[in-house]
Amino acid sequence: MNSILKIKNLNKVNLEKIDFFNNLDFRYKPSSVFILIFSSKNKDEILFLKRSNNLELHKGEICFPGGSYEDDDRDLLNTAYRELEEEVGIKKSDINALAFLEDEITRTGFIIKPFVGIVNKQVKIKIDNKEIIDYFKLPIEIFKDKENKRYFYSVINNNLEKKVSYSIQGRLIWGATANILNQFLDKI
C-alpha cells in the first residue's frame, strides 16, 4: 500500500467533531501542528519550516507549521489551521485534514496535538518572515532510509533517554518535531 493510502486510513473520523481538549494535561500550554503532505503523481512530500533565530523559544529549529492555542480558536484543529495560514499562507480550504496523532509534550512546557493533512492542489507558500524564515519539503521515502535516522541521549528528570533525530541534506530535525515525525512514519 502506498504512503497516501496508509495516511488516509490512519483514523477514519470526523476531526471537526472531536473534543481535543478532553483529557488534555493542562499543566502544559496547548498547541497543535500540521504534518502537511504535498501529494503529486511522482512523490509525496512533507512540509517543514525553519524558525527565526529572533524567537524566545525553539530558535532556528526545524518544525511543522503550527503553534499555541489562542482564546479565539474554537479548538486545537482550528489552532493548526490558523497557524498554517499565518506562517505560510495556506488556507483551510486548501487542505484535507485526515487524521491526528498522539500528543507530544515538549521540554519547554507545551503539549502538541499533531494533525495530518494533504494538499492535493497547487498552493503558493508565503512565509511570514517573522516566526518563520524558510521552508522546504522532503519526500516521505527519504525517511525510510536508515542512514538518515540518528539517535542521541538526553537527561530528562535524572533519567538518560534515547531520542530520535533525522539528519537530511544538511538539516537536523530533532526534538518534538522528530518525535512527531517518527510517530507518523511508524503508522504508515
Side-chain angles (χ1 to χ4, degrees):
M1 185 183 293
N2 73 24
S3 295
I4 290 301
L5 288 177
K6 289 180 183 177
I7 293 165
K8 288 181 178 179
N9 289 319
L10 278 176
N11 43 16
K12 297 265 187 202
V13 294
N14 184 343
L15 295 178
E16 298 286 340
K17 297 192 182 221
I18 296 176
D19 178 6
F20 290 106
F21 287 112
N22 191 23
N23 299 322
L24 193 66
D25 189 337
F26 285 101
R27 292 177 296 170
Y28 304 99
K29 184 162 179 52
S31 58
S32 58
V33 297
F34 258 117
I35 299 174
L36 201 56
I37 312 298
F38 284 74
S39 183
S40 70
K41 287 184 273 183
N42 301 333
K43 61 186 166 189
D44 299 323
E45 298 177 301
I46 300 174
L47 176 67
F48 293 93
L49 308 179
K50 181 164 174 63
R51 293 174 53 83
S52 168
N53 286 321
N54 297 326
L55 299 172
E56 184 179 338
L57 296 172
H58 311 288
K59 297 176 186 195
E61 291 181 14
I62 293 172
C63 64
F64 294 116
S68 298
Y69 172 81
E70 293 180 0
D71 290 338
D72 290 342
D73 295 335
R74 190 177 76 226
D75 55 30
L76 289 170
L77 180 57
N78 280 0
T79 299
Y81 283 128
R82 176 184 51 76
E83 288 283 347
L84 181 65
E85 186 167 357
E86 287 175 8
E87 292 175 345
V88 296
I90 298 175
K91 296 181 182 346
K92 178 180 177 178
S93 60
D94 294 332
I95 69 170
N96 183 11
L98 298 174
F100 62 92
L101 303 174
E102 294 299 315
D103 294 343
E104 174 71 20
I105 296 175
T106 71
R107 61 184 165 75
T108 53
F110 291 88
I111 186 165
I112 304 169
K113 173 55 73 182
F115 295 96
V116 178
I118 295 181
V119 177
N120 288 316
K121 61 183 181 176
Q122 292 284 72
V123 294
K124 181 176 168 113
I125 296 176
K126 184 178 177 202
I127 58 172
D128 71 359
N129 286 312
K130 295 175 190 145
E131 290 182 46
I132 305 303
I133 59 169
D134 199 9
Y135 76 92
F136 58 95
K137 298 175 200 168
L138 293 173
I140 291 174
E141 290 300 314
I142 205 167
F143 295 102
K144 294 179 180 176
D145 182 346
K146 292 184 190 313
E147 293 294 315
N148 294 322
K149 194 172 191 178
R150 307 275 191 278
Y151 293 95
F152 67 96
Y153 293 87
S154 183
V155 176
I156 300 172
N157 297 325
N158 293 322
N159 294 316
L160 189 63
E161 293 189 18
K162 184 178 179 181
K163 297 290 185 177
V164 68
S165 66
Y166 296 89
S167 180
I168 300 172
Q169 301 172 355
R171 297 177 171 112
L172 179 63
I173 301 169
W174 69 286
T177 302
N179 293 339
I180 292 167
L181 177 61
N182 198 51
Q183 182 187 163
F184 169 73
L185 295 169
D186 283 348
K187 293 188 181 299
I188 59 167

